[in-house]
Amino acid sequence: MQLLAQQLANGIALGSVYALFAIGFALILARMGILNVAHGTFATWGAISSYWLVTEQGANFWMAAAVGIVCAGLLGVLADTFAFAPLRRREAGTFAPIIASIGVWIILLNVAESVLGPTTQSYPVDAVPATPLEIGGLLVLPAHLFSIVALLVVVTGVHLLLNRSRFGAAVRAVSVDPRSASIVGVDARRTLIVVAFLAAAIAGLAGVLAALSDNNVSFGLGEALLLKGFAAVVVGGYGDIRGAAAVGVAIGVLEVLSSQYISSGFRDAITFGVLLLVLVVRPQGLFGERQLVRA
Amino acid sequence: MSTTAWITTLQFAGVNALFALSIYASLWTGALSLAPIFFGAAGAFTFGYLAAAFGLSPVVGLLLGTVVGALMGAVTAGFVIRLDSHYLAMATIAMVLIGRVLVLNLTDYTGGAAGQLVPGDLGTWLWLIGTLLVAGYVLSRLAKSRFGLAADAVREDAAVAQTLGISPRQIQLIGFVLSGALGGAAGVMQASFLQYIGPDTFYTHLAFVTLAAVVLGGAFHWAGPVVGAIAFTILPELLRDVTGGYERVVTGVVLILIIIYMPRGLVDMRRFRLLRARLRDDGDTTVRSTEGDDRVAATEGAR
């Protein structure tokens, strides 16, 4: 029982990181219509820049984390400005942004590899909070606690922002049709830049937390997150970020429990099996609404 | 670059061209699918297992890989062609992800994480050029057939195609079978060329890079993916001395520029026709400007 509770806590913490990543991924997919392959590299860059500040500049971890998140957000804005916005102006359709995002992915992944080198790095042990806390008889790593808290804050914040604020109304208007939104006085470009920043910054946060949880920074860090985040978004449906977040947590729990009780080899098989099943049976996701479009 | 390095690079380019053609085959019928990488894995690991266990000859392996790929293509089509474009792309990405998990877990057949050695007989110019010629011949004949016309129509607008008596699902099924056969063959060639296959041989990296090559070359004529794959493989090698380790970054930038300014890719028959028309009646103002045409092309690419 103790073991189950402990693994459940670990699973929720791991899933919180997936869920955070999935929120940013879903934001870009739902609000900008981009299946962004490069989203994982934003997470990698969040982790890399915080790692660089901690090890090379001797910065405080919290400061470094904050800067890393902002860096990731700025990369998101850059990617949108130079790769996606020109396509939007040319009304290039749904396939072109996927290709552009592959271009961004190639650039950011390769620069990350040459900056960090092919091996994995870790934060200096004394620079980051690493002593496990005891909560209700369970050992919880600080990183795990931060992940769960960050997820709750981000889900609530983003949900309220999108559904209860004027800005959220603007985002929804722009995601339906930027031109009509402009006619009623919404600054479409500015709205999209804010969404791009927000989505990439959340990815950066997920990246920093993933790096802190395993104390492991590598150039491929974001790729693993991308696959799990992708699964969470597809299974949860991307119209409502709460669906994607809930499935993200569920994937984490499923992974930890299945490697504890079944076999670690089938960890990913279960996740991706569910993913394919949902895509075939209910493509709009468990919590998604079917959208009607002209054939 | 030394001659041996050039030969290796060009052989890589040739195998990538086969994968690119496989992606093109389903894209031709309007389905953006990354399943060819999965088909390639299926072909390669079938070949690898049978060669190791029963001493299967590589030639039979190539044929078998093609057949296995085609069957996989038909099965995949049965599941995914009713999905909308984004979902179809995502489902096929999921297939690539699941492929790796299968390779890792079916240790008895695939060698698991350690991978497996494969006979290298097919990794020669003769086989590579032969396979590419056959693929090119089949695709160019198909392009002029009723299927080719129907595929173009389905890609431009499936609803309109349906009113013209074309069954989009049937056309896409054929596209997937073709894609599967090409993908299976490409997988066997790749395996024989590398002489080793592992869980990461046929994974997202190959999928994304091949898709990029298709778009770079042009997805509206079968020659496009071949040109794109060759350009995309050779470009980093050419740039290596100039850019000091950042050659892949340059290919990423080139890719973004191409999709923005030449959305129909390097091989664009319509641009060639327009250019020829403009050269013929020089100064004729009725010929539309290429810039305007690009915008039309971009909106068409959307469907």
Side-chain angles (χ1 to χ4, degrees):
Chain A
M1 205 56 222
Q2 173 72 15
L3 180 68
L4 179 67
Q6 180 69 55
Q7 292 294 31
L8 214 53
N10 293 346
I12 292 172
L14 178 68
S16 298
V17 177
Y18 295 162
L20 275 172
F21 183 86
I23 290 170
F25 190 73
L27 263 180
I28 294 200
L29 187 55
R31 300 299 160 210
M32 304 168 92
I34 303 168
L35 182 60
N36 188 8
V37 170
H39 205 66
T41 55
F42 298 154
T44 311
W45 275 98
I48 288 182
S49 38
S50 71
Y51 167 78
W52 180 78
L53 281 171
V54 170
T55 50
E56 304 287 322
Q57 307 296 312
N60 172 285
F61 174 75
W62 297 109
M63 251 238 339
V67 175
I69 292 165
V70 173
C71 272
L74 291 178
L75 280 177
V77 174
L78 281 179
D80 192 70
T81 310
F82 290 109
F84 303 132
L87 292 173
R88 216 173 284 129
R89 273 198 297 278
R90 282 155 198 266
E91 297 180 359
T94 46
F95 289 167
I98 301 183
I99 307 298
S101 81
I102 294 180
V104 176
W105 170 74
I106 292 176
I107 296 171
L108 291 180
L109 187 68
N110 281 289
V111 177
E113 188 176 2
S114 27
V115 168
L116 200 65
T119 53
T120 55
Q121 314 284 338
S122 40
Y123 294 110
V125 185
D126 50 345
V128 293
T131 333
L133 312 165
E134 204 180 320
I135 302 173
L138 301 176
L139 282 179
V140 183
L141 284 174
H144 287 176
L145 194 64
F146 300 150
S147 307
I148 297 170
V149 172
L151 174 66
L152 292 175
V153 171
V154 169
V155 166
T156 320
V158 172
H159 181 72
L160 291 179
L161 183 69
L162 283 182
N163 295 290
R164 295 277 184 275
S165 72
R166 277 184 71 83
F167 176 73
V171 172
R172 275 175 282 140
V174 171
S175 74
V176 173
D177 185 352
R179 199 169 298 164
S180 322
S182 307
I183 293 170
V184 295
V186 175
D187 185 341
R189 184 76 204 111
R190 203 185 58 194
T191 311
L192 288 172
I193 282 185
V194 174
V195 174
F197 179 86
L198 201 62
I202 297 172
L205 172 63
V208 171
L209 288 169
L212 184 64
S213 299
D214 304 338
N215 197 3
N216 182 337
V217 183
S218 75
F219 77 93
L221 176 140
E223 303 311 298
L225 281 178
L226 178 70
L227 303 183
K228 302 299 157 59
F230 171 73
V233 167
V234 172
V235 175
Y238 52 77
D240 189 332
I241 55 150
R242 291 175 301 179
V247 175
V249 174
I251 288 176
V253 172
L254 200 65
E255 274 191 1
V256 170
L257 291 188
S258 63
S259 47
Q260 173 75 35
Y261 293 102
I262 305 172
S263 134
S264 59
F266 278 96
R267 218 174 81 158
D268 290 348
I270 296 172
T271 308
F272 296 139
V274 171
L275 167 64
L276 195 62
L277 189 74
V278 167
L279 269 171
V280 172
V281 178
R282 197 180 151 82
Q284 71 273 34
L286 294 179
F287 306 110
E289 289 166 21
R290 188 170 272 282
Q291 288 175 344
L292 289 175
V293 287
R294 184 197 157 270
Chain B
M1 236 162 71
S2 70
T3 325
T4 15
W6 264 112
I7 289 175
T8 319
T9 309
L10 281 174
Q11 282 181 324
F12 260 119
V15 180
N16 287 350
L18 268 181
F19 271 118
L21 282 176
S22 172
I23 289 191
Y24 167 77
S26 47
L27 198 57
W28 191 8
T29 62
L32 175 61
S33 144
L34 292 177
I37 309 304
F38 182 85
F39 303 147
F45 280 97
T46 311
F47 167 52
Y49 173 71
L50 292 177
F54 305 106
L56 181 82
S57 92
V59 184
V60 182
L62 182 61
L63 292 174
L64 192 69
T66 313
V67 174
V68 168
L71 286 176
M72 289 279 183
V75 174
T76 309
F79 283 109
V80 301
I81 50 179
R82 53 201 184 77
L83 301 177
D84 293 336
S85 58
H86 257 125
Y87 293 118
L88 196 149
M90 291 198 265
T92 54
I93 294 177
M95 284 176 68
V96 176
L97 304 182
I98 290 171
R100 183 172 184 275
V101 177
L102 288 177
V103 170
L104 279 174
N105 285 292
L106 298 174
T107 319
D108 293 346
Y109 301 100
T110 62
Q116 145 182 110
L117 294 174
V118 177
D121 306 36
L122 295 171
T124 62
W125 281 111
L126 189 70
W127 281 105
L128 182 62
I129 293 176
T131 317
L132 273 174
L133 281 179
V134 171
Y137 177 74
V138 170
L139 285 168
S140 65
R141 286 302 295 267
L142 277 176
K144 294 192 181 76
S145 71
R146 290 178 67 88
F147 167 78
L149 278 175
D152 287 338
V154 171
R155 173 190 204 157
E156 294 301 334
D157 195 323
V160 171
Q162 204 156 13
T163 63
L164 297 172
I166 299 166
S167 160
R169 296 231 171 128
Q170 202 182 347
I171 295 297
Q172 290 187 331
L173 172 67
I174 298 174
F176 263 90
V177 171
L178 200 60
S179 165
L182 286 166
V188 174
M189 299 288 292
Q190 174 91 315
S192 192
F193 180 56
L194 295 171
Q195 300 189 23
Y196 161 82
I197 41 177
D200 291 324
T201 312
F202 303 97
Y203 203 41
T204 47
H205 189 272
L206 181 62
F208 293 159
V209 168
T210 313
L211 178 59
V214 173
V215 174
L216 177 70
F220 291 85
H221 187 277
W222 64 269
V226 177
V227 171
I230 293 171
F232 213 70
T233 322
I234 292 181
L235 191 63
E237 300 299 326
L238 285 179
L239 292 170
R240 181 158 291 166
D241 298 334
V242 193
T243 53
Y246 284 94
E247 64 278 347
R248 300 230 157 256
V249 176
V250 179
T251 50
V253 174
V254 170
L255 184 61
I256 295 175
L257 291 177
I258 291 273
I259 194 68
I260 294 174
Y261 296 106
M262 288 169 75
R264 288 175 76 94
L266 296 171
V267 180
D268 180 358
M269 289 302 158
R270 187 157 66 184
R271 182 154 37 94
F272 297 156
R273 276 200 300 275
L274 281 166
L275 276 176
R276 209 180 323 151
R278 185 180 296 175
L279 286 176
R280 204 171 44 229
D281 24 54
D282 201 12
D284 185 350
T285 45
T286 53
V287 177
R288 283 186 298 168
S289 76
T290 38
E291 195 197 342
D293 187 60
D294 269 358
R295 204 163 297 143
V296 175
T299 40
E300 280 175 8
R303 292 184 189 141

